[in-house]
């Protein structure tokens, strides 16, 4: 199984300018580019109906919000509902971006951590606070997305007769692509 390629559709959702492109850039190329970035259709309200096509078939959704912008968190909740209504088996990962800004200035935080954690528990999702600028929790986020997918897939294909202690098996090497508009 080592070296096996695993393809899974992972979508990045969230309001414009919350840092979706920066998150992918940090993960894929291990760099942070100071914008400006081109507007992103996945985050634009005017492309909402088209977005349903974008996340059709997704197995994971990283729903981003800017930790300094409460309106982006409200919008993230919208995206969670959209994904849940269209892709019931899609696993949700809430991602608060720009954590470097709130670490440097606690007054900059526009989204209460405990409120987000309560919501995360309610929807049975996972929460990450990331910084694309510093790299904080970016690799961890995508690592968990990949591991969760592999664990669910392994569980689905196992039968009673060949149940194995997965903890003792060597984990496969895997690659996955992020769908991002």
């Amino acid at each position: 199984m080592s070296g096996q390629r695993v393809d899974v559709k992972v979508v990045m959702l969230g309001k414009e300018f919350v840092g979706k492109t920066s998150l992918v850039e940090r993960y894929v190329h291990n760099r942070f580019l100071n914008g400006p970035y081109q507007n992103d259709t996945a985050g634009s309200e005017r492309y909402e109906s088209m977005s349903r096509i974008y996340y059709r078939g997704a197995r994971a959704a990283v729903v981003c919000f800017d930790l300094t912008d409460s309106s982006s968190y409200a919008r993230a909740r919208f995206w969670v509902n959209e994904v849940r209504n269209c892709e019931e088996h899609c696993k949700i990962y809430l991602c608060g971006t720009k954590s470097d800004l709130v670490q440097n200035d606690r007054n900059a935080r526009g989204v209460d951590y405990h409120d987000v954690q309560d919501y995360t528990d309610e929807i049975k999702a996972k929460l990450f606070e990331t910084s694309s600028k510093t790299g904080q929790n970016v690799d961890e986020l995508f690592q968990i997305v990949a591991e969760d997918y592999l664990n669910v897939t392994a569980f689905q294909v196992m039968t009673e007769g060949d149940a194995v202690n997965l903890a003792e098996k060597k984990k496969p090497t895997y690659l996955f692509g992020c769908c991002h508009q």
Side-chain angles (χ1 to χ4, degrees):
M1 217 188 235
S2 185
Q4 178 183 356
R5 180 183 170 111
V6 176
D7 292 320
V8 56
K9 184 173 182 179
V10 178
V11 293
M12 307 292 292
L13 299 169
K15 186 177 174 182
E16 297 172 292
F17 307 113
V18 295
K20 299 179 299 292
T21 301
S22 293
L23 198 63
V24 172
E25 188 70 28
R26 170 58 77 177
Y27 181 67
V28 173
H29 299 292
N30 196 30
R31 65 183 177 198
F32 178 76
L33 302 174
N34 287 318
Y37 290 110
Q38 184 177 359
N39 192 13
D40 177 327
T41 59
S44 300
E45 288 185 38
R46 64 183 172 193
Y47 292 110
E48 273 178 25
S49 61
M50 189 172 69
S51 294
R52 290 181 185 98
I53 296 166
Y54 167 65
Y55 51 74
R56 185 177 299 146
R59 304 301 295 168
V62 178
V63 182
C64 300
F65 61 95
D66 179 340
L67 292 167
T68 67
D69 177 7
S70 61
S71 69
S72 72
Y73 174 62
R75 195 75 184 140
R77 291 174 68 116
F78 164 83
W79 286 117
V80 167
N81 290 333
E82 281 287 294
V83 170
R84 286 277 159 91
N85 287 334
C86 295
E87 291 296 327
E88 67 178 292
H89 299 295
C90 184
K91 188 141 177 76
I92 305 290
Y93 301 84
L94 288 175
C95 180
T97 61
K98 306 180 186 181
S99 65
D100 56 291
L101 297 178
V102 298
Q103 286 175 346
N104 295 335
D105 179 6
R106 296 285 178 194
N107 294 325
R109 184 179 277 273
V111 180
D112 182 74
Y113 174 81
H114 299 290
D115 290 344
V116 177
Q117 186 61 61
D118 289 346
Y119 177 63
T120 303
D121 293 343
E122 176 187 323
I123 64 169
K124 296 175 178 50
K126 292 188 179 176
L127 173 63
F128 293 84
E129 290 194 354
T130 64
S131 169
S132 297
K133 189 173 191 176
T134 67
Q136 175 193 359
N137 287 332
V138 174
D139 286 344
E140 292 81 357
L141 164 66
F142 290 105
Q143 182 71 29
I144 292 296
V145 170
E147 288 175 4
D148 284 355
Y149 177 76
L150 289 175
N151 289 337
V152 166
T153 303
F155 179 76
Q156 288 172 343
V157 297
M158 286 176 52
T159 64
E160 261 184 56
D162 64 359
V164 204
N165 182 350
L166 291 177
E168 292 178 12
K169 290 189 84 173
K170 184 177 176 187
K171 291 188 177 182
T173 305
Y174 46 83
L175 300 169
F176 64 95
C178 294
C179 295
H180 182 262
Q181 295 180 342

